[in-house]
């Protein structure tokens, strides 16, 4: 076994005489698996029910002859033009009522019966033809579900939404009306036919209506994935199936906690934000979340970039060594496969300025040299494949809470879910603390410390689970505006933070969000608070930090409460990064949480644990290099050299992987 390596392969974009060169260069680079056929529907089915597999037959045979596996895709992310000419009703409608046109990708309504029929038909043809092909190692279903069509507001979607709601609410309109709070603004429904998607309207739509719509849209796309998967399983029950998630900064359309159990192998696409000066933190956080979605098992990085992407306002190239650091950081956080979009840079089309493994400049390029070096690195790390990670800290992550927090008419539209979670994750990352992500109702027994930086919405089960964790001896830390509403977006009455008042030992009667740029001095350490404040009264907890100025002078900003056998902290504001880092360091030390390895600032330490050895990844993001203590019998896998003297040298901007 080895760590798989490759990318999206689109030979249909090139003359057939180029394919032989592709095979030779793939072998030179150490490529072991490529994704094939992702956007080939128009070529495979040039007319309805008429198939031409000539090209795909040749490509798969060629891959098999050169020892390269295929992750064979169903091409359903890009229906051909003939389909939309026959079924214009399958085109999506936006919330303003405009019917979109075809001419790009994912321009279909997820609830369209015509699309579903056509997608399952082509998937079935592929499955029956290639189920036993020796090159096919895995099914790649669709591509980036919901990337461009997370919602459609057409009449077919409206009817599908009503069917979903009737199932959820037991076919009871009174139950739905109660859950949605429809007595407000005369929104009461007397007939299911009256319920529409939350289309553009004159004022703020009902929040629970919007939340259920987000849930429905995620489930509608999941139903398409499952339907294709079952068609493939019927033909090839032993071949694993996956689809590429997008756990990254700019996508939140799908509830991946619901999706992940349906995948045989969890895979993810991850791209850097050009404006992020420390994108390595986003890589780590995404990797930890994807590993957690995979239940702690290894996962596949299905797409990232060798250099610049093509879809941001400014698309920067990667600096020297960044390609290698990025890829090996994903491996450190659990990836057992590294793949790029795409193998050969396109000369035409919407992504012609997206980087690739084989760039426009060809093999006489730094990218190609880095790609070949990475292939050798991944070969040297073959024994890491299958190893896992352990953590004693869990961060609570919930897509429902994210959706609800970012609905309109909140106390502050400046409060954003991802910002809050990253602000707590970052100091843990800097300290070398291993982190898992969990659902609110997850088994928390493996952890010493559980953090809930932003859990605005939580149901009774999740709230009780977190409180019981503290009561049983764990350490719980909760961020502001958490526990405020239940699963229906109804405010929990009696004071804030709602579901967590008892475990935290506090009660807030009024919220005081801060204006952009506004800050308040805190009582200890010279720190400041921004974004949020609230009038906290102690109800059993002790004040750790108070406000030193403003209308809440002397009011607690951070509290600590002894609860049962454990401890619960409340962070009722956003401390400045240095103050927050110090606070989280205090909390994790009190909980008995230790870093993977103590390293200098800017050197990331991540541990994967195998059956017979541990694998310590050390990645220098600061460009200074470092000397890090390791076991006396350690071996550095990328060079194959035995480590002497009880420490290993990490070169500036470099990576070492140590077997202990």
């Amino acid at each position: 076994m080895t760590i798989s390596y490759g990318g999206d392969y689109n030979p249909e974009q090139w003359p057939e005489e180029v394919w032989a060169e592709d095979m030779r260069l793939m072998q030179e680079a150490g490529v072991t698996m490529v994704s094939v056929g992702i956007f080939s529907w128009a070529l495979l089915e040039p007319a309805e029910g008429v198939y031409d597999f000539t090209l795909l037959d040749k490509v798969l045979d060629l891959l098999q002859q050169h020892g390269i596996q295929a992750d064979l895709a169903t091409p359903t992310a890009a229906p051909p033009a003939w389909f939309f000419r026959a079924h214009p009703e399958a085109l999506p409608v936006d919330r303003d009522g405009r019917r979109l046109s075809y001419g790009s990708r994912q321009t279909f309504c997820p609830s369209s019966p015509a699309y579903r029929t056509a997608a399952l038909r082509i998937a079935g043809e592929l499955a029956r033809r290639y189920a036993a092909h020796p090159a096919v190692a895995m099914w790649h279903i669709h591509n980036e579900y919901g990337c461009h069509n997370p919602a459609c507001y057409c009449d077919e979607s409206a009817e599908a939404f009503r069917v979903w709601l009737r199932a959820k609410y037991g076919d009871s309109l009174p139950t739905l009306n109660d859950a949605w709070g429809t007595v407000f603004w005369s929104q009461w429904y007397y007939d299911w036919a009256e319920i529409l998607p939350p289309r553009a309207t004159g004022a703020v739509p009902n929040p629970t209506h919007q939340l259920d719509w987000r849930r429905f849209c995620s489930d509608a796309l999941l139903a398409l994935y499952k339907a294709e998967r079952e068609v493939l399983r019927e033909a090839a029950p032993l071949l694993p199936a996956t689809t590429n998630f997008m756990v990254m900064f700019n996508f939140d359309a799908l509830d991946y906690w619901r999706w992940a159990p349906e995948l045989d192998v969890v895979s993810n696409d991850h791209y850097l934000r050009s404006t992020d000066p420390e994108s390595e933190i986003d890589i780590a956080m995404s990797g930890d979340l994807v590993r957690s979605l995979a239940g702690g098992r290894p996962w596949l990085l299905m797409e990232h970039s060798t250099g610049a992407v093509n879809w941001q306002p400014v698309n920067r190239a990667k600096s020297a060594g960044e390609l290698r650091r990025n890829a090996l950081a994903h491996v450190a956080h659990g990836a057992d496969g590294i793949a790029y979009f795409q193998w050969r840079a396109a000369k035409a089309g919407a992504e012609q300025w997206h980087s690739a493994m084989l760039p426009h400049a060809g093999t006489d390029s730094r990218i190609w040299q880095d790609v070949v070096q990475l292939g050798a690195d991944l070969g040297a790390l073959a024994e890491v494949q299958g190893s896992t990670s352990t953590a004693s800290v869990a961060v609570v992550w919930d897509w429902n809470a994210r959706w609800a927090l970012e609905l309109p008419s909140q106390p502050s539209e400046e409060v954003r879910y991802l910002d809050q979670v990253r602000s707590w994750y970052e100091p843990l990352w800097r300290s070398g603390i291993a982190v898992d992500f969990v659902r609110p109702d997850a088994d928390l027994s493996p952890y010493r410390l559980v953090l809930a930086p932003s859990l605005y919405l939580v149901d009774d089960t999740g709230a009780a689970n977190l409180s019981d964790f503290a009561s049983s001896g764990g350490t719980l830390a909760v961020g502001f505006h958490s526990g405020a509403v239940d699963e229906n977006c109804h405010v929990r009455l009696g004071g804030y933070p709602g579901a967590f008042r008892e475990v935290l030992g506090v009660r807030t009667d009024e919220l005081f969000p801060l204006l952009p740029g506004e800050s308040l001095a805190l009582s200890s350490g010279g720190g400041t608070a921004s974004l949020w404040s609230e009038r906290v009264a102690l109800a059993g907890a002790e004040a750790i930090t108070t406000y030193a100025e403003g209308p809440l002078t002397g009011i607690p900003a951070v509290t600590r409460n002894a609860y049962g056998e454990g401890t619960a902290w409340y962070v009722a504001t956003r401390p400045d990064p240095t103050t927050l880092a110090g606070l989280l360091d205090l909390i994790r030390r009190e909980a008995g949480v230790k870093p993977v390895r103590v390293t200098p600032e800017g050197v990331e330490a991540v541990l994967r644990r195998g059956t017979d050895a541990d694998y310590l990844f050390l990645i220098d993001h600061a460009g200074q290099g470092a000397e890090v203590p390791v076991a006396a019998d350690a071996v550095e896998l990328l060079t194959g050299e035995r480590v002497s003297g009880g420490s290993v040298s990490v070169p500036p901007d470099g990576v070492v992987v140590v077997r202990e």
Side-chain angles (χ1 to χ4, degrees):
M1 299 295 289
T2 187
I3 295 173
S4 64
Y5 184 43
D8 287 11
Y9 183 38
N10 298 297
E12 64 272 16
Q13 297 177 9
W14 302 94
E16 189 170 343
E17 55 265 25
V18 174
W19 302 354
E21 182 187 40
D22 287 335
M23 297 300 107
R24 178 178 63 81
L25 292 177
M26 284 182 189
Q27 290 182 317
E28 181 180 332
V31 167
T32 62
M33 184 167 70
V34 292
S35 295
V36 180
I38 293 175
F39 297 116
S40 59
W41 193 345
L43 298 181
L44 299 178
E45 190 179 6
E48 185 169 0
V50 177
Y51 302 99
D52 183 357
F53 294 109
T54 306
L55 184 148
L56 195 51
D57 286 346
K58 291 180 180 179
V59 170
L60 290 176
D61 289 347
L62 200 58
L63 291 171
Q64 193 271 327
Q65 292 164 18
H66 289 82
I68 300 169
Q69 294 182 320
D71 173 31
L72 181 56
T74 61
T76 53
W82 61 254
F83 169 78
F84 291 114
R85 288 187 66 197
H87 301 284
E89 78 284 358
L91 288 164
V93 173
D94 69 14
R95 69 187 303 268
D96 293 318
R98 297 176 302 171
R99 174 112 27 206
L100 305 183
S101 179
Y102 58 89
S104 59
R105 63 178 185 177
Q106 289 189 339
T107 50
F108 64 85
C109 165
S111 299
S112 164
Y115 168 79
R116 182 187 179 99
T117 298
L120 297 187
R121 185 176 63 237
I122 185 67
E125 291 293 329
L126 279 168
R128 287 183 288 274
R129 188 173 186 89
Y130 297 115
H133 195 287
V136 178
M138 185 166 61
W139 298 117
H140 183 308
I141 300 176
H142 200 78
N143 186 70
E144 296 182 336
Y145 273 102
C147 181
H148 304 288
N149 62 342
C152 172
Y153 296 80
C154 72
D155 290 341
E156 284 185 335
S157 296
E159 180 55 35
F161 183 39
R162 289 188 283 268
V163 171
W164 184 90
L165 290 170
R166 294 180 83 145
K168 177 175 181 179
Y169 292 106
D171 209 23
S172 169
L173 270 173
T175 302
L176 177 140
N177 280 307
D178 180 64
W180 285 17
T182 55
V183 292
F184 189 81
W185 280 2
S186 189
Q187 294 174 341
W188 192 272
Y189 296 105
Y190 291 95
D191 192 294
W192 290 101
E194 296 167 359
I195 300 174
L196 298 172
R199 295 167 176 162
T201 187
V204 178
N206 181 303
T208 318
H209 184 178
Q210 295 178 83
L211 182 58
D212 268 349
W213 174 250
R214 296 293 298 266
R215 292 163 171 160
F216 157 74
C217 290
S218 177
D219 281 358
L221 287 165
L222 178 56
L224 288 176
Y225 167 81
K226 291 165 66 176
E228 285 197 38
R229 182 198 63 195
E230 292 311 305
V231 168
L232 299 172
R233 279 184 177 173
E234 184 177 345
L238 299 182
L239 268 183
T242 190
T243 190
N244 39 344
F245 289 171
M246 290 183 291
V247 178
M248 52 189 287
F249 68 92
N250 63 344
F251 186 78
D252 72 343
L254 306 181
D255 181 353
Y256 286 135
W257 288 124
R258 288 178 62 82
W259 280 68
E262 304 295 341
L263 275 62
D264 298 318
V265 179
V266 169
S267 26
N268 190 53
D269 293 354
H270 185 273
Y271 291 99
L272 307 183
R273 175 166 34 187
S274 292
T275 56
D276 187 349
E278 293 184 300
S279 54
E280 60 268 20
I281 300 173
D282 192 56
I283 290 174
M285 192 168 85
S286 171
D288 286 344
L289 179 50
V290 176
R291 188 192 68 247
S292 301
L293 288 165
R297 299 184 303 277
W299 51 279
L300 299 181
L301 180 65
M302 194 64 73
E303 286 185 28
H304 68 316
S305 67
T306 57
V309 298
N310 70 298
W311 43 268
Q312 299 183 46
V314 176
N315 297 294
R316 72 168 183 86
K318 292 187 176 182
S319 59
E322 191 175 0
L323 180 155
R324 185 172 187 250
R325 289 195 307 276
N326 289 170
L328 295 181
H330 284 292
V331 176
H333 289 273
D336 267 4
I338 296 295
Y340 290 95
F341 180 83
Q342 55 181 326
W343 162 250
R344 184 182 283 269
K347 66 177 181 179
E351 294 181 295
Q352 67 191 92
W353 291 110
H354 195 293
S355 60
M357 299 176 76
L358 183 59
H360 293 140
T363 57
D364 184 17
S365 62
R366 190 184 72 189
I367 280 182
W368 176 251
Q369 294 166 8
D370 290 348
V371 162
V372 173
Q373 177 61 55
L374 179 60
D377 288 339
L378 295 175
L381 298 180
E383 66 181 84
V384 175
Q385 193 268 344
S387 60
T388 57
S389 302
T390 58
S392 55
V393 177
V395 174
V396 179
W397 179 285
D398 185 62
W399 273 273
N400 282 266
R402 181 176 184 176
W403 295 336
L405 177 68
E406 295 177 1
L407 290 172
S409 298
Q410 282 285 336
S412 171
E413 66 178 18
E414 298 295 314
V415 179
R416 289 178 286 271
Y417 185 87
L418 188 60
D419 292 346
Q420 292 307 111
V421 176
R422 175 161 164 165
S423 72
W424 284 43
Y425 177 89
E426 180 176 329
L428 299 172
W429 177 85
R430 293 190 187 280
S431 299
I433 305 300
V435 169
D436 287 341
F437 285 87
V438 295
R439 298 165 55 119
D441 59 353
D443 176 13
L444 303 178
S445 60
Y447 305 105
R448 291 176 175 268
L449 172 62
V450 172
L451 307 176
S454 186
L455 198 59
Y456 168 69
L457 176 150
V458 64
D459 63 16
D460 291 345
T461 300
N465 188 47
L466 294 168
S467 298
D468 289 347
F469 169 76
S471 178
S472 300
T475 299
L476 173 69
V478 176
F480 64 83
H481 206 33
S482 292
V485 301
D486 64 14
E487 67 273 19
N488 292 319
C489 264
H490 292 195
V491 174
R492 294 179 179 273
L493 303 179
Y496 321 117
F500 299 120
R501 287 197 308 269
E502 180 182 343
V503 65
L504 297 174
V506 298
R507 181 180 179 275
T508 293
D509 72 332
E510 193 169 6
L511 307 175
F512 292 80
L514 302 179
L515 297 174
E518 184 181 6
S519 64
L520 299 172
L522 295 172
S523 63
S524 59
T528 59
S530 63
L531 190 66
W532 189 271
S533 63
E534 55 187 68
R535 188 162 51 221
V536 173
L538 301 177
E542 59 177 316
I544 302 300
T545 302
T546 60
Y547 299 102
E549 62 178 341
L552 299 183
T553 298
I555 296 295
V558 178
T559 64
R560 180 184 183 277
N561 187 44
Y563 186 74
E565 300 297 318
T567 307
W569 293 74
Y570 185 44
V571 184
T573 187
R574 184 177 71 181
D576 66 85
T578 300
T579 301
L580 180 59
L583 175 63
L584 291 174
D585 189 63
L586 170 66
I587 293 172
R588 67 96 176 163
R589 288 177 185 272
E590 183 182 280
V593 173
K594 297 180 180 180
V596 166
R597 198 65 46 97
V598 176
T599 62
E601 176 72 22
V603 177
E604 180 180 7
V606 190
L607 192 68
R608 288 183 63 163
R609 183 149 288 168
T611 304
D612 302 314
D614 289 344
Y615 302 100
L616 177 66
F617 288 72
L618 298 167
I619 308 171
D620 178 37
H621 300 289
Q624 301 298 315
E627 197 76 18
V628 178
V630 295
D633 61 346
V635 174
E636 205 289 305
L637 295 181
L638 296 175
T639 62
E641 296 178 359
R642 186 169 294 278
V643 177
S644 61
S647 67
V648 67
S649 294
V650 184
D653 295 320
V655 181
V656 300
V657 182
V658 178
R659 181 210 297 134
E660 296 185 312

